[in-house]
Amino acid sequence: QVQLQESGPGLVKPSETLSLTCTVSGGSVSSGSYYWSWIRQPPGKGLEWIGYIYYSGSTNYNPSLKSRVTISVDTSKNQFSLKLSSVTAADTAVYYCARDVRTAMAPDYWGQGTLVTVSS
Amino acid sequence: QSALTQPASVSGSPGQSITISCTGTSSDVGSYNLVSWYQQHPGKAPKLMIYEGSKRPSGVSNRFSGSKSGNTASLTISGLQAEDEADYYCCSYAGSRVFGGGTKLTVL
């Protein structure tokens, strides 16, 4: 069964860049059947889709975040990563990585999530 | 893209049925049969319950069902059980992805 695990700093200073990595086990990021997504959830609030990447490197981002987001994939390490620049307190959230089924356009397997706090 | 509209809360007694609505536009819910539903218990990651509007992943109870009419998708839970108490989110394809604001289900 596929498993996803987020990793990265839990505290980021305002105006800096948030960087997270998702390590996939039990499956391959090189599979043509899936996109690999990042989704976040501010404390006590709802889910917000950030974007996804395909193994080829093609990406699709949330228009509201597009200017600050970069998602990349490393097939040799079976990982994909998120960078969010110029962060503010509004970017404080639990960040989830997820496998996204291409045909269904739905994330089916999710990581446990990691809380990232933006604070000086 | 704007978030899909869900009721903030719904409630029901054990054994009853409830329905959660998810209203979008002709650019998302209305244009594609690609709505998914997620269950989230406190402190846990969301779990996929319905995809492509009405399909259940393996292992999800048949008490959960999905449907769509026009720009509104719905999730129905029949035979409510205590463990169904959770937050529920809809998600639609819209060229990208858009989530609903979430609905808190209380089992009385």
PDB file of all heavy atoms in Angstrom, chain B residues 12-52:
ATOM      1  N   GLY B  12     -27.629  14.481  12.795  1.00  0.00           N
ATOM      2  CA  GLY B  12     -28.623  13.432  12.673  1.00  0.00           C
ATOM      3  C   GLY B  12     -28.458  12.438  13.801  1.00  0.00           C
ATOM      4  O   GLY B  12     -27.393  12.376  14.441  1.00  0.00           O
ATOM      5  N   SER B  13     -29.478  11.662  14.023  1.00  0.00           N
ATOM      6  CA  SER B  13     -29.447  10.644  15.081  1.00  0.00           C
ATOM      7  C   SER B  13     -28.964   9.323  14.498  1.00  0.00           C
ATOM      8  O   SER B  13     -29.064   9.095  13.288  1.00  0.00           O
ATOM      9  CB  SER B  13     -30.835  10.472  15.682  1.00  0.00           C
ATOM     10  OG  SER B  13     -31.274  11.678  16.279  1.00  0.00           O
ATOM     11  N   PRO B  14     -28.430   8.463  15.340  1.00  0.00           N
ATOM     12  CA  PRO B  14     -27.987   7.147  14.847  1.00  0.00           C
ATOM     13  C   PRO B  14     -29.106   6.430  14.110  1.00  0.00           C
ATOM     14  O   PRO B  14     -30.265   6.441  14.546  1.00  0.00           O
ATOM     15  CB  PRO B  14     -27.617   6.412  16.145  1.00  0.00           C
ATOM     16  CG  PRO B  14     -27.200   7.495  17.067  1.00  0.00           C
ATOM     17  CD  PRO B  14     -28.117   8.657  16.762  1.00  0.00           C
ATOM     18  N   GLY B  15     -28.737   5.843  12.966  1.00  0.00           N
ATOM     19  CA  GLY B  15     -29.705   5.127  12.157  1.00  0.00           C
ATOM     20  C   GLY B  15     -30.389   5.967  11.097  1.00  0.00           C
ATOM     21  O   GLY B  15     -30.929   5.426  10.119  1.00  0.00           O
ATOM     22  N   GLN B  16     -30.362   7.278  11.277  1.00  0.00           N
ATOM     23  CA  GLN B  16     -30.985   8.167  10.293  1.00  0.00           C
ATOM     24  C   GLN B  16     -30.077   8.373   9.086  1.00  0.00           C
ATOM     25  O   GLN B  16     -28.920   7.931   9.073  1.00  0.00           O
ATOM     26  CB  GLN B  16     -31.305   9.519  10.933  1.00  0.00           C
ATOM     27  CG  GLN B  16     -32.437   9.504  11.939  1.00  0.00           C
ATOM     28  CD  GLN B  16     -32.786  10.913  12.430  1.00  0.00           C
ATOM     29  OE1 GLN B  16     -31.939  11.810  12.452  1.00  0.00           O
ATOM     30  NE2 GLN B  16     -34.041  11.099  12.821  1.00  0.00           N
ATOM     31  N   SER B  17     -30.608   9.066   8.078  1.00  0.00           N
ATOM     32  CA  SER B  17     -29.834   9.459   6.895  1.00  0.00           C
ATOM     33  C   SER B  17     -29.676  10.967   6.860  1.00  0.00           C
ATOM     34  O   SER B  17     -30.596  11.696   7.265  1.00  0.00           O
ATOM     35  CB  SER B  17     -30.528   8.994   5.615  1.00  0.00           C
ATOM     36  OG  SER B  17     -30.575   7.590   5.533  1.00  0.00           O
ATOM     37  N   ILE B  18     -28.535  11.413   6.389  1.00  0.00           N
ATOM     38  CA  ILE B  18     -28.307  12.843   6.197  1.00  0.00           C
ATOM     39  C   ILE B  18     -27.704  13.059   4.817  1.00  0.00           C
ATOM     40  O   ILE B  18     -27.106  12.165   4.223  1.00  0.00           O
ATOM     41  CB  ILE B  18     -27.380  13.443   7.293  1.00  0.00           C
ATOM     42  CG1 ILE B  18     -25.982  12.819   7.232  1.00  0.00           C
ATOM     43  CG2 ILE B  18     -27.998  13.278   8.663  1.00  0.00           C
ATOM     44  CD1 ILE B  18     -24.995  13.633   6.414  1.00  0.00           C
ATOM     45  N   THR B  19     -27.888  14.277   4.317  1.00  0.00           N
ATOM     46  CA  THR B  19     -27.313  14.652   3.030  1.00  0.00           C
ATOM     47  C   THR B  19     -26.557  15.963   3.172  1.00  0.00           C
ATOM     48  O   THR B  19     -27.066  16.912   3.791  1.00  0.00           O
ATOM     49  CB  THR B  19     -28.399  14.797   1.946  1.00  0.00           C
ATOM     50  OG1 THR B  19     -29.024  13.533   1.737  1.00  0.00           O
ATOM     51  CG2 THR B  19     -27.795  15.277   0.638  1.00  0.00           C
ATOM     52  N   ILE B  20     -25.353  16.000   2.625  1.00  0.00           N
ATOM     53  CA  ILE B  20     -24.528  17.213   2.617  1.00  0.00           C
ATOM     54  C   ILE B  20     -24.438  17.703   1.183  1.00  0.00           C
ATOM     55  O   ILE B  20     -24.066  16.931   0.281  1.00  0.00           O
ATOM     56  CB  ILE B  20     -23.126  16.931   3.176  1.00  0.00           C
ATOM     57  CG1 ILE B  20     -23.214  16.437   4.624  1.00  0.00           C
ATOM     58  CG2 ILE B  20     -22.252  18.181   3.086  1.00  0.00           C
ATOM     59  CD1 ILE B  20     -21.883  15.946   5.188  1.00  0.00           C
ATOM     60  N   SER B  21     -24.761  18.967   0.971  1.00  0.00           N
ATOM     61  CA  SER B  21     -24.719  19.522  -0.379  1.00  0.00           C
ATOM     62  C   SER B  21     -23.402  20.244  -0.641  1.00  0.00           C
ATOM     63  O   SER B  21     -22.710  20.679   0.301  1.00  0.00           O
ATOM     64  CB  SER B  21     -25.881  20.494  -0.596  1.00  0.00           C
ATOM     65  OG  SER B  21     -25.786  21.576   0.321  1.00  0.00           O
ATOM     66  N   CYS B  22     -23.090  20.360  -1.899  1.00  0.00           N
ATOM     67  CA  CYS B  22     -21.845  21.013  -2.343  1.00  0.00           C
ATOM     68  C   CYS B  22     -22.174  21.763  -3.638  1.00  0.00           C
ATOM     69  O   CYS B  22     -22.345  21.141  -4.692  1.00  0.00           O
ATOM     70  CB  CYS B  22     -20.773  19.954  -2.566  1.00  0.00           C
ATOM     71  SG  CYS B  22     -19.260  20.517  -3.369  1.00  0.00           S
ATOM     72  N   THR B  23     -22.306  23.071  -3.519  1.00  0.00           N
ATOM     73  CA  THR B  23     -22.738  23.864  -4.666  1.00  0.00           C
ATOM     74  C   THR B  23     -21.586  24.609  -5.313  1.00  0.00           C
ATOM     75  O   THR B  23     -20.829  25.314  -4.636  1.00  0.00           O
ATOM     76  CB  THR B  23     -23.818  24.870  -4.242  1.00  0.00           C
ATOM     77  OG1 THR B  23     -24.926  24.140  -3.691  1.00  0.00           O
ATOM     78  CG2 THR B  23     -24.311  25.674  -5.436  1.00  0.00           C
ATOM     79  N   GLY B  24     -21.461  24.417  -6.605  1.00  0.00           N
ATOM     80  CA  GLY B  24     -20.431  25.108  -7.366  1.00  0.00           C
ATOM     81  C   GLY B  24     -21.045  25.909  -8.487  1.00  0.00           C
ATOM     82  O   GLY B  24     -22.105  26.510  -8.316  1.00  0.00           O
ATOM     83  N   THR B  25     -20.383  25.885  -9.616  1.00  0.00           N
ATOM     84  CA  THR B  25     -20.838  26.648 -10.779  1.00  0.00           C
ATOM     85  C   THR B  25     -20.770  25.770 -12.029  1.00  0.00           C
ATOM     86  O   THR B  25     -20.331  24.619 -11.979  1.00  0.00           O
ATOM     87  CB  THR B  25     -19.951  27.882 -10.997  1.00  0.00           C
ATOM     88  OG1 THR B  25     -18.646  27.440 -11.418  1.00  0.00           O
ATOM     89  CG2 THR B  25     -19.816  28.710  -9.721  1.00  0.00           C
ATOM     90  N   SER B  26     -21.165  26.346 -13.137  1.00  0.00           N
ATOM     91  CA  SER B  26     -21.101  25.625 -14.410  1.00  0.00           C
ATOM     92  C   SER B  26     -19.657  25.440 -14.878  1.00  0.00           C
ATOM     93  O   SER B  26     -19.408  24.729 -15.850  1.00  0.00           O
ATOM     94  CB  SER B  26     -21.902  26.381 -15.472  1.00  0.00           C
ATOM     95  OG  SER B  26     -21.406  27.693 -15.608  1.00  0.00           O
ATOM     96  N   SER B  27     -18.717  26.073 -14.181  1.00  0.00           N
ATOM     97  CA  SER B  27     -17.299  25.926 -14.540  1.00  0.00           C
ATOM     98  C   SER B  27     -16.623  24.795 -13.784  1.00  0.00           C
ATOM     99  O   SER B  27     -15.507  24.404 -14.142  1.00  0.00           O
ATOM    100  CB  SER B  27     -16.539  27.239 -14.257  1.00  0.00           C
ATOM    101  OG  SER B  27     -17.036  28.284 -15.055  1.00  0.00           O
ATOM    102  N   ASP B  28     -17.249  24.297 -12.748  1.00  0.00           N
ATOM    103  CA  ASP B  28     -16.627  23.211 -11.981  1.00  0.00           C
ATOM    104  C   ASP B  28     -17.601  22.052 -11.817  1.00  0.00           C
ATOM    105  O   ASP B  28     -17.670  21.175 -12.673  1.00  0.00           O
ATOM    106  CB  ASP B  28     -16.070  23.706 -10.642  1.00  0.00           C
ATOM    107  CG  ASP B  28     -16.970  24.715  -9.923  1.00  0.00           C
ATOM    108  OD1 ASP B  28     -18.119  24.359  -9.619  1.00  0.00           O
ATOM    109  OD2 ASP B  28     -16.526  25.840  -9.675  1.00  0.00           O
ATOM    110  N   VAL B  29     -18.402  22.049 -10.756  1.00  0.00           N
ATOM    111  CA  VAL B  29     -19.307  20.925 -10.492  1.00  0.00           C
ATOM    112  C   VAL B  29     -20.219  20.646 -11.683  1.00  0.00           C
ATOM    113  O   VAL B  29     -20.439  19.495 -12.068  1.00  0.00           O
ATOM    114  CB  VAL B  29     -20.145  21.185  -9.227  1.00  0.00           C
ATOM    115  CG1 VAL B  29     -21.172  20.073  -9.029  1.00  0.00           C
ATOM    116  CG2 VAL B  29     -19.248  21.283  -7.993  1.00  0.00           C
ATOM    117  N   GLY B  30     -20.731  21.696 -12.277  1.00  0.00           N
ATOM    118  CA  GLY B  30     -21.696  21.522 -13.354  1.00  0.00           C
ATOM    119  C   GLY B  30     -21.125  21.013 -14.660  1.00  0.00           C
ATOM    120  O   GLY B  30     -21.857  20.473 -15.495  1.00  0.00           O
ATOM    121  N   SER B  31     -19.817  21.180 -14.836  1.00  0.00           N
ATOM    122  CA  SER B  31     -19.207  20.819 -16.114  1.00  0.00           C
ATOM    123  C   SER B  31     -18.568  19.441 -16.140  1.00  0.00           C
ATOM    124  O   SER B  31     -18.330  18.890 -17.215  1.00  0.00           O
ATOM    125  CB  SER B  31     -18.133  21.849 -16.495  1.00  0.00           C
ATOM    126  OG  SER B  31     -18.713  23.079 -16.879  1.00  0.00           O
ATOM    127  N   TYR B  32     -18.262  18.922 -14.979  1.00  0.00           N
ATOM    128  CA  TYR B  32     -17.531  17.657 -14.918  1.00  0.00           C
ATOM    129  C   TYR B  32     -18.164  16.719 -13.894  1.00  0.00           C
ATOM    130  O   TYR B  32     -18.642  17.152 -12.856  1.00  0.00           O
ATOM    131  CB  TYR B  32     -16.075  17.893 -14.509  1.00  0.00           C
ATOM    132  CG  TYR B  32     -15.364  18.949 -15.312  1.00  0.00           C
ATOM    133  CD1 TYR B  32     -15.270  20.262 -14.843  1.00  0.00           C
ATOM    134  CD2 TYR B  32     -14.785  18.646 -16.532  1.00  0.00           C
ATOM    135  CE1 TYR B  32     -14.617  21.236 -15.569  1.00  0.00           C
ATOM    136  CE2 TYR B  32     -14.122  19.615 -17.267  1.00  0.00           C
ATOM    137  CZ  TYR B  32     -14.048  20.900 -16.781  1.00  0.00           C
ATOM    138  OH  TYR B  32     -13.394  21.862 -17.510  1.00  0.00           O
ATOM    139  N   ASN B  33     -18.128  15.430 -14.177  1.00  0.00           N
ATOM    140  CA  ASN B  33     -18.582  14.447 -13.193  1.00  0.00           C
ATOM    141  C   ASN B  33     -17.367  13.987 -12.392  1.00  0.00           C
ATOM    142  O   ASN B  33     -17.048  12.800 -12.321  1.00  0.00           O
ATOM    143  CB  ASN B  33     -19.255  13.263 -13.886  1.00  0.00           C
ATOM    144  CG  ASN B  33     -20.136  12.491 -12.932  1.00  0.00           C
ATOM    145  OD1 ASN B  33     -20.615  13.030 -11.931  1.00  0.00           O
ATOM    146  ND2 ASN B  33     -20.339  11.215 -13.213  1.00  0.00           N
ATOM    147  N   LEU B  34     -16.681  14.950 -11.808  1.00  0.00           N
ATOM    148  CA  LEU B  34     -15.403  14.692 -11.133  1.00  0.00           C
ATOM    149  C   LEU B  34     -15.404  15.321  -9.748  1.00  0.00           C
ATOM    150  O   LEU B  34     -14.454  16.000  -9.362  1.00  0.00           O
ATOM    151  CB  LEU B  34     -14.251  15.237 -11.997  1.00  0.00           C
ATOM    152  CG  LEU B  34     -14.042  14.506 -13.318  1.00  0.00           C
ATOM    153  CD1 LEU B  34     -13.037  15.263 -14.184  1.00  0.00           C
ATOM    154  CD2 LEU B  34     -13.553  13.079 -13.072  1.00  0.00           C
ATOM    155  N   VAL B  35     -16.476  15.061  -9.001  1.00  0.00           N
ATOM    156  CA  VAL B  35     -16.545  15.520  -7.614  1.00  0.00           C
ATOM    157  C   VAL B  35     -16.121  14.385  -6.694  1.00  0.00           C
ATOM    158  O   VAL B  35     -16.520  13.228  -6.871  1.00  0.00           O
ATOM    159  CB  VAL B  35     -17.962  15.982  -7.249  1.00  0.00           C
ATOM    160  CG1 VAL B  35     -18.061  16.310  -5.752  1.00  0.00           C
ATOM    161  CG2 VAL B  35     -18.353  17.202  -8.080  1.00  0.00           C
ATOM    162  N   SER B  36     -15.293  14.700  -5.740  1.00  0.00           N
ATOM    163  CA  SER B  36     -14.889  13.728  -4.721  1.00  0.00           C
ATOM    164  C   SER B  36     -15.269  14.250  -3.344  1.00  0.00           C
ATOM    165  O   SER B  36     -15.468  15.452  -3.161  1.00  0.00           O
ATOM    166  CB  SER B  36     -13.381  13.441  -4.804  1.00  0.00           C
ATOM    167  OG  SER B  36     -12.624  14.634  -4.815  1.00  0.00           O
ATOM    168  N   TRP B  37     -15.396  13.327  -2.411  1.00  0.00           N
ATOM    169  CA  TRP B  37     -15.778  13.657  -1.037  1.00  0.00           C
ATOM    170  C   TRP B  37     -14.775  13.043  -0.066  1.00  0.00           C
ATOM    171  O   TRP B  37     -14.327  11.908  -0.265  1.00  0.00           O
ATOM    172  CB  TRP B  37     -17.167  13.118  -0.720  1.00  0.00           C
ATOM    173  CG  TRP B  37     -18.287  13.842  -1.407  1.00  0.00           C
ATOM    174  CD1 TRP B  37     -18.837  13.557  -2.623  1.00  0.00           C
ATOM    175  CD2 TRP B  37     -18.995  14.982  -0.898  1.00  0.00           C
ATOM    176  NE1 TRP B  37     -19.839  14.443  -2.904  1.00  0.00           N
ATOM    177  CE2 TRP B  37     -19.962  15.336  -1.867  1.00  0.00           C
ATOM    178  CE3 TRP B  37     -18.909  15.743   0.276  1.00  0.00           C
ATOM    179  CZ2 TRP B  37     -20.836  16.403  -1.691  1.00  0.00           C
ATOM    180  CZ3 TRP B  37     -19.771  16.804   0.451  1.00  0.00           C
ATOM    181  CH2 TRP B  37     -20.724  17.128  -0.525  1.00  0.00           C
ATOM    182  N   TYR B  38     -14.470  13.801   0.988  1.00  0.00           N
ATOM    183  CA  TYR B  38     -13.484  13.387   1.966  1.00  0.00           C
ATOM    184  C   TYR B  38     -14.052  13.483   3.378  1.00  0.00           C
ATOM    185  O   TYR B  38     -14.800  14.425   3.687  1.00  0.00           O
ATOM    186  CB  TYR B  38     -12.218  14.257   1.860  1.00  0.00           C
ATOM    187  CG  TYR B  38     -11.579  14.113   0.513  1.00  0.00           C
ATOM    188  CD1 TYR B  38     -12.010  14.902  -0.556  1.00  0.00           C
ATOM    189  CD2 TYR B  38     -10.610  13.154   0.287  1.00  0.00           C
ATOM    190  CE1 TYR B  38     -11.475  14.725  -1.818  1.00  0.00           C
ATOM    191  CE2 TYR B  38     -10.069  12.980  -0.974  1.00  0.00           C
ATOM    192  CZ  TYR B  38     -10.510  13.762  -2.016  1.00  0.00           C
ATOM    193  OH  TYR B  38      -9.979  13.580  -3.271  1.00  0.00           O
ATOM    194  N   GLN B  39     -13.684  12.510   4.199  1.00  0.00           N
ATOM    195  CA  GLN B  39     -14.024  12.495   5.617  1.00  0.00           C
ATOM    196  C   GLN B  39     -12.754  12.810   6.405  1.00  0.00           C
ATOM    197  O   GLN B  39     -11.697  12.231   6.125  1.00  0.00           O
ATOM    198  CB  GLN B  39     -14.540  11.107   6.003  1.00  0.00           C
ATOM    199  CG  GLN B  39     -14.862  10.929   7.477  1.00  0.00           C
ATOM    200  CD  GLN B  39     -15.102   9.450   7.797  1.00  0.00           C
ATOM    201  OE1 GLN B  39     -14.188   8.620   7.711  1.00  0.00           O
ATOM    202  NE2 GLN B  39     -16.328   9.120   8.143  1.00  0.00           N
ATOM    203  N   GLN B  40     -12.854  13.704   7.368  1.00  0.00           N
ATOM    204  CA  GLN B  40     -11.691  14.047   8.177  1.00  0.00           C
ATOM    205  C   GLN B  40     -12.055  14.053   9.655  1.00  0.00           C
ATOM    206  O   GLN B  40     -12.859  14.874  10.102  1.00  0.00           O
ATOM    207  CB  GLN B  40     -11.115  15.404   7.785  1.00  0.00           C
ATOM    208  CG  GLN B  40      -9.801  15.721   8.503  1.00  0.00           C
ATOM    209  CD  GLN B  40      -9.225  17.069   8.102  1.00  0.00           C
ATOM    210  OE1 GLN B  40      -9.950  18.022   7.856  1.00  0.00           O
ATOM    211  NE2 GLN B  40      -7.892  17.146   8.044  1.00  0.00           N
ATOM    212  N   HIS B  41     -11.453  13.158  10.393  1.00  0.00           N
ATOM    213  CA  HIS B  41     -11.597  13.161  11.849  1.00  0.00           C
ATOM    214  C   HIS B  41     -10.545  14.095  12.441  1.00  0.00           C
ATOM    215  O   HIS B  41      -9.495  14.335  11.817  1.00  0.00           O
ATOM    216  CB  HIS B  41     -11.444  11.746  12.408  1.00  0.00           C
ATOM    217  CG  HIS B  41     -12.618  10.863  12.117  1.00  0.00           C
ATOM    218  ND1 HIS B  41     -12.562   9.802  11.234  1.00  0.00           N
ATOM    219  CD2 HIS B  41     -13.896  10.893  12.593  1.00  0.00           C
ATOM    220  CE1 HIS B  41     -13.739   9.212  11.184  1.00  0.00           C
ATOM    221  NE2 HIS B  41     -14.572   9.848  11.995  1.00  0.00           N
ATOM    222  N   PRO B  42     -10.803  14.630  13.644  1.00  0.00           N
ATOM    223  CA  PRO B  42      -9.880  15.599  14.248  1.00  0.00           C
ATOM    224  C   PRO B  42      -8.454  15.087  14.329  1.00  0.00           C
ATOM    225  O   PRO B  42      -8.212  13.958  14.775  1.00  0.00           O
ATOM    226  CB  PRO B  42     -10.477  15.808  15.639  1.00  0.00           C
ATOM    227  CG  PRO B  42     -11.925  15.530  15.472  1.00  0.00           C
ATOM    228  CD  PRO B  42     -12.000  14.417  14.475  1.00  0.00           C
ATOM    229  N   GLY B  43      -7.520  15.902  13.853  1.00  0.00           N
ATOM    230  CA  GLY B  43      -6.112  15.558  13.915  1.00  0.00           C
ATOM    231  C   GLY B  43      -5.651  14.521  12.913  1.00  0.00           C
ATOM    232  O   GLY B  43      -4.490  14.097  12.950  1.00  0.00           O
ATOM    233  N   LYS B  44      -6.545  14.127  12.014  1.00  0.00           N
ATOM    234  CA  LYS B  44      -6.203  13.103  11.020  1.00  0.00           C
ATOM    235  C   LYS B  44      -6.212  13.675   9.612  1.00  0.00           C
ATOM    236  O   LYS B  44      -6.792  14.730   9.351  1.00  0.00           O
ATOM    237  CB  LYS B  44      -7.206  11.943  11.095  1.00  0.00           C
ATOM    238  CG  LYS B  44      -7.259  11.245  12.444  1.00  0.00           C
ATOM    239  CD  LYS B  44      -5.961  10.557  12.773  1.00  0.00           C
ATOM    240  CE  LYS B  44      -6.072   9.734  14.050  1.00  0.00           C
ATOM    241  NZ  LYS B  44      -4.773   9.080  14.383  1.00  0.00           N
ATOM    242  N   ALA B  45      -5.573  12.943   8.700  1.00  0.00           N
ATOM    243  CA  ALA B  45      -5.614  13.327   7.295  1.00  0.00           C
ATOM    244  C   ALA B  45      -6.977  12.987   6.703  1.00  0.00           C
ATOM    245  O   ALA B  45      -7.646  12.060   7.167  1.00  0.00           O
ATOM    246  CB  ALA B  45      -4.518  12.600   6.529  1.00  0.00           C
ATOM    247  N   PRO B  46      -7.399  13.720   5.693  1.00  0.00           N
ATOM    248  CA  PRO B  46      -8.659  13.387   5.014  1.00  0.00           C
ATOM    249  C   PRO B  46      -8.596  11.994   4.396  1.00  0.00           C
ATOM    250  O   PRO B  46      -7.537  11.512   4.006  1.00  0.00           O
ATOM    251  CB  PRO B  46      -8.755  14.463   3.929  1.00  0.00           C
ATOM    252  CG  PRO B  46      -7.967  15.610   4.464  1.00  0.00           C
ATOM    253  CD  PRO B  46      -6.820  14.969   5.187  1.00  0.00           C
ATOM    254  N   LYS B  47      -9.783  11.380   4.302  1.00  0.00           N
ATOM    255  CA  LYS B  47      -9.920  10.043   3.712  1.00  0.00           C
ATOM    256  C   LYS B  47     -10.905  10.137   2.565  1.00  0.00           C
ATOM    257  O   LYS B  47     -12.005  10.682   2.712  1.00  0.00           O
ATOM    258  CB  LYS B  47     -10.440   9.046   4.750  1.00  0.00           C
ATOM    259  CG  LYS B  47     -10.738   7.657   4.190  1.00  0.00           C
ATOM    260  CD  LYS B  47     -11.397   6.773   5.240  1.00  0.00           C
ATOM    261  CE  LYS B  47     -11.770   5.413   4.658  1.00  0.00           C
ATOM    262  NZ  LYS B  47     -12.477   4.569   5.646  1.00  0.00           N
ATOM    263  N   LEU B  48     -10.526   9.596   1.404  1.00  0.00           N
ATOM    264  CA  LEU B  48     -11.399   9.606   0.237  1.00  0.00           C
ATOM    265  C   LEU B  48     -12.584   8.668   0.454  1.00  0.00           C
ATOM    266  O   LEU B  48     -12.410   7.488   0.741  1.00  0.00           O
ATOM    267  CB  LEU B  48     -10.606   9.182  -1.008  1.00  0.00           C
ATOM    268  CG  LEU B  48     -11.380   9.098  -2.319  1.00  0.00           C
ATOM    269  CD1 LEU B  48     -11.871  10.489  -2.749  1.00  0.00           C
ATOM    270  CD2 LEU B  48     -10.507   8.472  -3.409  1.00  0.00           C
ATOM    271  N   MET B  49     -13.803   9.203   0.280  1.00  0.00           N
ATOM    272  CA  MET B  49     -15.027   8.421   0.479  1.00  0.00           C
ATOM    273  C   MET B  49     -15.777   8.193  -0.824  1.00  0.00           C
ATOM    274  O   MET B  49     -16.413   7.151  -1.008  1.00  0.00           O
ATOM    275  CB  MET B  49     -15.948   9.144   1.476  1.00  0.00           C
ATOM    276  CG  MET B  49     -15.296   9.481   2.809  1.00  0.00           C
ATOM    277  SD  MET B  49     -14.660   8.043   3.677  1.00  0.00           S
ATOM    278  CE  MET B  49     -16.186   7.316   4.264  1.00  0.00           C
ATOM    279  N   ILE B  50     -15.757   9.180  -1.709  1.00  0.00           N
ATOM    280  CA  ILE B  50     -16.460   9.122  -2.991  1.00  0.00           C
ATOM    281  C   ILE B  50     -15.591   9.798  -4.048  1.00  0.00           C
ATOM    282  O   ILE B  50     -14.982  10.843  -3.774  1.00  0.00           O
ATOM    283  CB  ILE B  50     -17.824   9.844  -2.926  1.00  0.00           C
ATOM    284  CG1 ILE B  50     -18.778   9.161  -1.941  1.00  0.00           C
ATOM    285  CG2 ILE B  50     -18.461   9.955  -4.313  1.00  0.00           C
ATOM    286  CD1 ILE B  50     -19.352   7.842  -2.406  1.00  0.00           C
ATOM    287  N   TYR B  51     -15.527   9.228  -5.248  1.00  0.00           N
ATOM    288  CA  TYR B  51     -14.847   9.877  -6.352  1.00  0.00           C
ATOM    289  C   TYR B  51     -15.699   9.763  -7.610  1.00  0.00           C
ATOM    290  O   TYR B  51     -16.627   8.954  -7.674  1.00  0.00           O
ATOM    291  CB  TYR B  51     -13.440   9.296  -6.558  1.00  0.00           C
ATOM    292  CG  TYR B  51     -13.415   7.855  -7.020  1.00  0.00           C
ATOM    293  CD1 TYR B  51     -13.251   7.539  -8.373  1.00  0.00           C
ATOM    294  CD2 TYR B  51     -13.546   6.802  -6.109  1.00  0.00           C
ATOM    295  CE1 TYR B  51     -13.225   6.230  -8.802  1.00  0.00           C
ATOM    296  CE2 TYR B  51     -13.529   5.487  -6.534  1.00  0.00           C
ATOM    297  CZ  TYR B  51     -13.359   5.204  -7.876  1.00  0.00           C
ATOM    298  OH  TYR B  51     -13.337   3.893  -8.304  1.00  0.00           O
ATOM    299  N   GLU B  52     -15.389  10.602  -8.576  1.00  0.00           N
ATOM    300  CA  GLU B  52     -16.176  10.665  -9.816  1.00  0.00           C
ATOM    301  C   GLU B  52     -17.670  10.748  -9.508  1.00  0.00           C
ATOM    302  O   GLU B  52     -18.491  10.107 -10.161  1.00  0.00           O
ATOM    303  CB  GLU B  52     -15.850   9.480 -10.723  1.00  0.00           C
ATOM    304  CG  GLU B  52     -14.431   9.549 -11.272  1.00  0.00           C
ATOM    305  CD  GLU B  52     -14.092   8.396 -12.215  1.00  0.00           C
ATOM    306  OE1 GLU B  52     -15.009   7.649 -12.600  1.00  0.00           O
ATOM    307  OE2 GLU B  52     -12.903   8.254 -12.540  1.00  0.00           O
TER     308      GLU B  52
END
